[in-house]
Amino acid sequence: MHKIQAWGASAAGKPLAPMSIERREPGPRDVVIEILFCGVCHSDIHQARDEWSGAMFPMIPGHEIVGRVTRVGGEAKKFAVGELAGVGCMVDSCRACGPCTEGLEQFCEKGNAPTYNGTEMDRKTPTYGGYSTEIVVDEGYALRVPTGLDPAGVAPLLCAGITTYSPLRQQGCKPGDRVGVVGLGGLGHMAVKLAASMGAKVTVLSTSAAKEADARRLGAADFVVTKGGNAFERLAGKFDIIVDTVSAPHDYNAYLGLLRPRRAMVLVGAPPAAVPVQPFSLIMGGKQLAGSLIGGIAETQEMLDHCEKHGIVSDIEIIPIQKINEAYERVLASDVRYRFVIDMASLRGPSA
C-alpha cells in the first residue's frame, strides 16, 4: 500500500477537503493510472452528502476518470506505459454471473465494485474515486481513451456519455428516427449529441426557452418549450424514442403521449419520489416505459470509439480541485454548461 493525495468528504454534509488515502500496489493484471482529469457528476454530490443513504466515509468521489498509465502488472496486456486510459463507474464485478458474462457488469448479481463509496469484491477494501492523483484498477475495467479527442472532454463520457448512449443503442436508434430528449443538462446535452450522430432528428423538450440556442448548437433539429401552451397536444404520437434525463418531479404520462405506437421512453434521470403512471398511458399504443443504467465495459468502449469517429466530447468547464465545493453549489444551481471537469494538476501543484 502507498499513500496518495486526494480531496474528499470526512462525513456527510462536510465540505470536501484535502486528505491522503492508500492505494494498493498493482497486482499481475492491474494498471496504475496517473489521473489527469476527473468529471464532476451530480451523483458525486448526492453520495458525498449521503442523500441516498448508506454512504461510507471518508469518501473520495469521482467516477469520470481519464489519465495516463504509469505502471502495468506482469500479466497485463491491454495497456502500455504512457497510454491514456479511463475508469468509469465500476472497477470490478464477479465476472461469473449471467449479467457479467453477457457484458452487463453494471448489473452483476453479486453487486459490482463501484469506483468509490463501496468496496472491492472482497467486500472489505474500500474504493476511492478520481478526486485523487492516481488509481489502481484491473485492466479489464479500464477503458482505452481515444487519442484524437480532448482528454478533459472525454472524462464525462465515462458516465454521462454511456448513460445516454446505452438507451439509444438499446432502442435501436437509427437514421431518420425522431428522438425526444427531455431536459438539457449534463445528461441531456450528451443525449442530443449522440442521437444526432446516429442520424436521428432530435427535438429537445425543455421548460426553459433560454436553452434553445444551445440545443440547436449541440445538434437538435427542433426545440419545444413544454411549459404552458399546447406542446403536448401538438407533438402527440410524433417520437420513436424519448430519453428522459430529468431528475425533478414531472408527469411521465404527458411524455408517454408523445410516443408513436410500440415505441419507448427511457428514464435515465431519477426523481426523488415515485411518479404515478396511468396504465392506459402504456396500454393505448403498446408503449414502453424503460430504465437504463450506464453500460457494461464493452458497451462503454463502443461508446468511446463512436465518439472518436464522430468527434464528440462533453461541453465542459475546467476547474482546479480547490474550487470543488463551489462547483457543487453551482451544479445544484444549474450554473454549468454542461459538466465540470477537475484538472488534477491542481492537486499536485504548490497550492494543493
Side-chain angles (χ1 to χ4, degrees):
M1 304 290 281
H2 59 285
K3 287 189 175 183
I4 64 165
Q5 295 174 291
W7 271 60
S10 59
K14 293 284 188 180
L16 273 64
M19 57 180 64
S20 64
I21 58 171
E22 289 190 333
R23 294 289 195 198
R24 69 174 186 269
E25 295 301 321
R29 290 178 50 81
D30 286 336
V31 293
V32 181
I33 301 170
E34 176 191 17
I35 299 173
L36 303 177
F37 299 101
C38 185
V40 178
C41 180
H42 200 147
S43 63
D44 296 347
I45 303 172
H46 288 306
Q47 295 187 80
R49 299 181 177 184
D50 198 19
E51 293 172 352
W52 292 343
S53 75
M56 301 170 60
F57 295 96
M59 182 191 300
I60 309 299
H63 58 208
E64 299 177 343
I65 300 166
V66 169
R68 195 169 300 282
V69 175
T70 58
R71 295 171 64 186
V72 297
E75 299 176 12
K77 306 296 183 184
K78 188 174 177 180
F79 296 95
V81 170
E83 290 184 326
L84 290 174
V87 178
C89 299
M90 55 188 160
V91 292
D92 207 349
S93 66
C94 83
R95 314 184 195 195
C97 68
C100 282
T101 58
E102 294 168 11
L104 299 171
E105 298 92 345
Q106 72 272 34
F107 302 127
C108 176
E109 291 176 356
K110 295 184 179 180
N112 64 49
T115 303
Y116 72 91
N117 192 29
T119 66
E120 301 278 2
M121 295 306 291
D122 63 7
R123 299 311 182 205
K124 297 177 183 178
T125 308
T127 55
Y128 298 119
Y131 297 7
S132 57
T133 55
E134 77 172 39
I135 190 168
V136 182
V137 62
D138 184 286
E139 66 171 358
Y141 292 78
L143 289 308
R144 293 182 298 274
V145 172
T147 57
L149 298 177
D150 171 26
V154 168
L157 300 182
L158 295 166
C159 179
I162 186 58
T163 295
T164 49
Y165 179 86
S166 187
L168 291 167
R169 291 286 283 122
Q170 290 172 44
Q171 299 303 324
C173 183
K174 61 186 183 301
D177 279 351
R178 295 194 61 174
V179 174
V181 175
V182 185
L184 191 66
L187 292 176
H189 97 287
M190 287 308 312
V192 172
K193 289 188 177 191
L194 290 165
S197 74
M198 295 174 185
K201 181 179 180 182
V202 182
T203 298
V204 170
L205 305 166
S206 174
T207 58
S208 173
K211 293 187 176 182
E212 180 172 1
D214 254 8
R216 294 188 184 278
R217 175 183 61 82
L218 293 165
D222 200 4
F223 181 92
V224 175
V225 177
T226 56
K227 191 174 182 179
N230 64 344
F232 289 102
E233 291 80 5
R234 181 165 52 86
L235 295 176
K238 298 296 185 183
F239 294 105
D240 298 288
I241 305 166
I242 295 175
V243 180
D244 188 339
T245 72
V246 174
S247 293
H250 57 292
D251 185 1
Y252 289 168
N253 301 287
Y255 289 95
L256 286 166
L258 306 185
L259 288 171
R260 295 176 61 200
R262 294 194 171 179
R263 300 304 197 269
M265 180 167 86
V266 186
L267 308 180
V268 294
V275 177
V277 176
Q278 298 298 326
F280 280 106
S281 295
L282 301 173
I283 292 170
M284 300 304 291
K287 299 170 185 178
Q288 301 174 43
L289 179 61
S292 186
L293 175 70
I294 57 171
I297 297 300
E299 188 176 45
T300 304
Q301 188 64 59
E302 177 187 303
M303 176 273 303
L304 289 171
D305 295 343
H306 176 92
C307 288
E308 179 180 32
K309 180 179 178 180
H310 294 276
I312 296 171
V313 291
S314 180
D315 284 25
I316 62 170
E317 179 179 335
I318 296 178
I319 60 166
I321 189 65
Q322 293 79 12
K323 290 190 175 182
I324 188 61
N325 292 300
E326 175 187 334
Y328 275 18
E329 295 306 316
R330 287 182 58 192
V331 169
L332 295 175
S334 299
D335 180 26
V336 58
R337 295 291 184 271
Y338 279 91
R339 297 287 277 211
F340 285 116
V341 171
I342 306 165
D343 181 352
M344 283 303 162
S346 62
L347 185 51
R348 300 179 180 88
S351 63

